[in-house]
Amino acid sequence: MGKKHAEERKPSRAKTPTFLLELPLVADAGQAARLGGHLEVGRQFYNAVLSAGQRRLRRMRADPAWQAARAIPRTQRQERRAVFSALRERYGFSEYAFHELAKGLRVSWLAEHLDAVLAQTLASRAYRALNRVCLGKARRVRFKSRGRGLSSIENKRKDTGMRFVLEPRAEGRPQGCLLWHDEKLRALIDWDDPVVAHGLAHEVKYARLVRRRASSPRAQGADSEGERYFVQLALAGTPLQKPKHAVGSQTIGLDLGPSSIAIVPREAEARLEPLCAELRPDARAIRRLQRKMERQRRAANPEHYDEKGRAKKRGKGAPRWKQSRGYQATRRRKATRERRLAAHRKSLHGRLVHQIVAVGHTIVTEKISYKGWQKRYGRSVGLRAPGMLIDQLKRTVASTGGTLHEVPTRSTKLSQYCHGCGQTVNKPLWQRWHQCACGIGSVQRDLYSAFLAAYLDPADPIPSCARYVVPWEGAEARLRAAHERATQRAKEGQVMPRSMGIPRAGARLPKSRGEATQELLFLSRRGKVEAWKHRSEPPELELGESSGKVSTPPPF
Ligand SMILES: [Zn+2]
């Protein structure tokens, strides 16, 4: 029976590996205007599908049968699935039904701008967005606003509609072009770049047009609106492999914090480092731009604020928010900054991952709830993205034949455990040192947890005293050395996160009066200025530490 079915269906596209290559496009003013027009139609079409789909989703969820289906226990998987899929069928909530919906919506003038296949990919996109809401993975969907527009549109085949072609030339290397409607957009190809040459030697599956806002209309390759166009090619095959990095054979324990990382291999040197410390100036610049945007928004929209400067509640029919030219320019600059920050973070993560993998490819770490972290340390986690680091490490380790073991925190409790007496004692967050009455310590707590992780048995991740007796003899000195190196770097001026238990060397003496005032303002915002006033010591010596508790390292 299955065979018959398979023959009737279109030959399903086999899942072959795909990789992306992005090339900048050259668009003259006329072309840019026409592309903008097509994308605007795409935006309206996407919103229309999204809106119709949202109505379907709401109706489906309002059906009493939906609640009944949700009540079916998850253990009865087949039954649950059958009921849900029947509901989806009835309310037309499936990718296929959305394609039908798109067919009905793509009429008259829309059709001139939007080929059928492109309309279909937009409908799939709307479906995926709504399906995330349906599955509880997202709270709501976003409609694309006129101001921001649709930033990309893609085909799913290479023979009709928007497509990429390589045209041989009489001399020199072929010229690549994106064809769409009657436009022919030249792609800038650097044939000497091995990544580009490798990509273009592969078969193109489909093309995607991407529009990005440049930092200014005068930026290189931008049109008069400050937009830049790119083509992304989905290519069959695998991306160019860079020469292999060295891979070590050690077992490594990791302790990842929201802003620091402790790396303890079984044999080699241990490390305690701030996570992505280099991103701080970028983040600061972005925050400055954010504040500037806020000021510009206020200046242009006084009617939206009450006499105390608070934003008024918005009801239906409230006046629109106005965007000044200056505001738009700041927003573009901020977007560019954010893109740069993301790229910088990625490269920092990559560097750290390769340094870790160079030592060993069996890695043990505690499984962390990044969602919980997000709540507690939102800004730091958003900036340093430790979850992304772990994901990248997992992929890299897997590609070298190693494994990353994430052991459950609840059973291991490495941050509370002491291997000398086997007791688990909850340490408050500010306590940065492990020092136990049984004689273990003192040792920096992140390094100590990483050490405990390094010698865990991932198959049975319960720490036991016997495991650690021998390794501890060699490790204690290594852990101290790691902390001393970090302290040394802090003395040389590197900023270390509080969690590392290093008093901030750089913050002890303000470099200028201006800085001191800023620090004061910061303190008063947090309501700490009172406590500071009543201190008996000269305030300059304590500024860096008065706003939080740092336990100083006990003498060794
Ligand atoms: Zn103990």
Side-chain angles (χ1 to χ4, degrees):
M1 158 210 167
K3 200 175 171 203
K4 186 86 198 291
H5 247 81
E7 278 169 1
E8 274 171 7
R9 249 187 271 149
K10 269 187 278 175
S12 68
R13 265 162 295 145
K15 289 240 174 184
T16 51
T18 303
F19 68 105
L20 287 180
L21 176 69
E22 185 174 291
L23 303 167
L25 291 171
V26 183
D28 62 38
Q31 286 176 323
R34 288 189 291 274
L35 283 184
H38 297 325
L39 284 172
E40 172 58 16
V41 171
R43 178 188 78 87
Q44 293 179 14
F45 181 79
Y46 174 80
N47 282 349
V49 177
L50 201 61
S51 159
Q54 200 171 35
R55 277 197 298 278
R56 289 183 181 188
L57 176 61
R58 284 195 184 131
R59 277 206 300 272
M60 178 167 79
R61 284 175 140 182
D63 191 321
W66 178 265
Q67 292 305 329
R70 286 183 42 159
I72 301 172
R74 278 176 200 279
T75 45
Q76 300 170 21
R77 259 168 79 191
Q78 293 215 323
E79 194 190 339
R80 229 177 120 92
R81 197 180 298 163
V83 175
F84 273 124
S85 63
L87 269 165
R88 280 169 178 261
E89 177 117 1
R90 191 183 325 148
Y91 287 95
F93 194 77
S94 68
E95 190 163 356
Y96 177 74
F98 272 50
H99 288 175
E100 291 296 310
L101 176 67
K103 239 184 245 173
L105 288 171
R106 185 181 155 267
V107 285
S108 69
W109 61 278
L110 272 166
E112 286 167 27
H113 287 275
L114 214 56
D115 337 344
V117 187
L118 261 57
Q120 230 179 54
T121 57
L122 283 174
S124 294
R125 206 157 129 187
Y127 169 72
R128 282 195 297 270
L130 282 164
N131 196 35
R132 280 174 57 80
V133 175
C134 180
L135 299 175
K137 287 182 182 163
R139 300 269 282 280
R140 58 184 199 95
V141 287
R142 266 174 194 273
F143 288 86
K144 305 278 178 202
S145 72
R146 181 186 285 274
R148 309 205 109 188
L150 195 67
S151 57
S152 77
I153 195 162
E154 67 185 58
N155 204 339
K156 59 180 188 183
R157 41 202 293 190
K158 55 180 175 178
D159 47 350
T160 62
M162 188 172 67
R163 61 197 186 276
F164 183 80
V165 289
L166 275 178
E167 295 176 337
R169 285 188 295 187
E171 53 193 80
R173 285 178 282 199
Q175 171 63 56
C177 295
L178 182 72
L179 307 179
W180 191 23
H181 297 292
D182 302 327
E183 311 298 348
K184 186 170 176 182
L185 297 145
R186 204 158 57 80
L188 296 174
I189 299 177
D190 176 8
W191 285 99
D192 296 325
D193 183 338
V195 175
V196 172
H198 171 85
L200 291 177
H202 288 73
E203 184 200 343
V204 178
K205 286 181 169 177
Y206 60 87
R208 175 186 300 144
L209 175 71
V210 177
R211 172 171 64 177
R212 286 209 194 98
R213 203 146 278 177
S215 55
S216 114
R218 277 162 299 171
Q220 200 192 358
D223 69 6
S224 62
E225 303 287 313
E227 310 278 16
R228 264 190 282 199
Y229 293 91
F230 300 84
V231 59
Q232 275 182 359
L233 303 175
L235 301 155
T238 48
L240 183 68
Q241 294 288 322
K242 288 190 198 143
K244 280 260 185 275
H245 290 268
V247 177
S249 54
Q250 289 258 325
T251 299
I252 303 176
L254 280 191
D255 184 86
L256 193 60
S259 54
S260 64
I261 184 168
I263 307 167
V264 179
R266 285 195 181 175
E267 308 276 303
E269 189 176 82
R271 289 168 60 182
L272 177 66
E273 308 217 338
L275 204 55
C276 301
E278 291 92 330
L279 294 180
R280 287 170 66 107
D282 297 351
R284 226 173 287 154
I286 289 172
R287 278 204 291 280
R288 268 200 301 278
L289 288 172
Q290 252 164 2
R291 287 198 293 271
K292 184 170 183 187
M293 276 169 70
E294 168 66 23
R295 286 194 302 276
Q296 288 172 322
R297 198 163 40 227
R298 270 176 191 271
N301 301 279
E303 68 276 16
H304 281 285
Y305 298 89
D306 64 13
E307 58 280 5
K308 281 187 177 164
R310 294 171 300 198
K312 283 184 193 162
K313 279 250 167 67
R314 291 197 68 194
K316 277 238 157 106
R320 289 175 66 88
W321 286 80
K322 290 187 280 292
Q323 297 181 348
S324 64
R325 282 189 172 271
Y327 174 82
Q328 288 170 353
T330 316
R331 191 173 64 189
R332 275 199 301 272
R333 276 171 59 204
K334 180 172 152 264
T336 308
R337 273 280 182 176
E338 275 167 346
R339 271 198 297 280
R340 228 186 294 161
L341 178 118
H344 191 183
R345 173 169 53 217
K346 203 169 169 191
S347 83
L348 290 175
H349 280 178
R351 199 180 65 189
L352 188 58
V353 163
H354 283 300
Q355 285 171 357
I356 295 173
V357 173
V359 178
H361 65 354
T362 306
I363 293 166
V364 187
T365 184
E366 279 189 314
K367 180 150 186 64
I368 300 153
S369 150
Y370 297 103
K371 257 193 187 156
W373 273 15
Q374 190 78 44
K375 280 184 197 143
R376 284 179 72 171
Y377 318 95
R379 197 198 261 171
S380 178
V381 170
L383 174 63
R384 298 180 176 84
M388 272 167 66
L389 174 70
I390 286 288
D391 286 344
Q392 197 183 344
L393 187 60
K394 215 182 281 177
R395 281 196 303 273
T396 310
V397 160
S399 75
T400 59
T403 338
L404 182 123
H405 302 279
E406 284 183 292
V407 297
T409 316
R410 202 161 289 175
S411 58
T412 51
K413 292 185 184 161
L414 295 186
S415 61
Q416 304 170 14
Y417 186 73
C418 171
H419 79 265
C421 50
Q423 282 174 354
T424 55
V425 179
N426 200 1
K427 296 190 195 76
L429 258 187
W430 54 266
Q431 197 179 316
R432 298 296 160 203
W433 295 83
H434 175 78
Q435 186 164 27
C436 187
C438 70
I440 299 296
S442 60
V443 51
Q444 203 275 345
R445 65 185 275 180
D446 300 343
L447 283 166
Y448 184 62
S449 319
F451 157 77
L452 292 175
Y455 290 92
L456 268 185
D457 176 8
D460 178 27
I462 307 292
S464 73
C465 302
R467 269 198 111 73
Y468 294 109
V469 177
V470 179
W472 180 243
E473 283 173 16
E476 197 176 1
R478 278 192 294 138
L479 301 189
R480 273 188 193 163
H483 189 260
E484 259 155 41
R485 271 193 301 276
T487 313
Q488 190 53 40
R489 273 183 294 147
K491 276 186 190 147
E492 284 160 11
Q494 196 179 339
V495 181
M496 298 288 175
R498 281 225 174 83
S499 63
M500 280 168 45
I502 297 168
R504 293 189 170 186
R508 277 191 197 144
L509 285 169
K511 286 184 201 97
S512 69
R513 282 211 149 263
E515 262 181 52
T517 343
Q518 268 187 1
E519 190 82 43
L520 204 89
L521 275 177
F522 167 74
L523 291 176
S524 66
R525 249 212 323 273
R526 291 195 167 186
K528 293 272 168 67
V529 83
E530 283 307 305
W532 176 83
K533 271 185 194 159
H534 294 291
R535 279 175 169 255
S536 50
E537 299 96 340
E540 283 84 356
L541 290 173
E542 291 291 316
L543 277 175
E545 285 158 40
S546 50
S547 61
K549 282 182 185 169
V550 173
S551 57
T552 41
F556 288 124

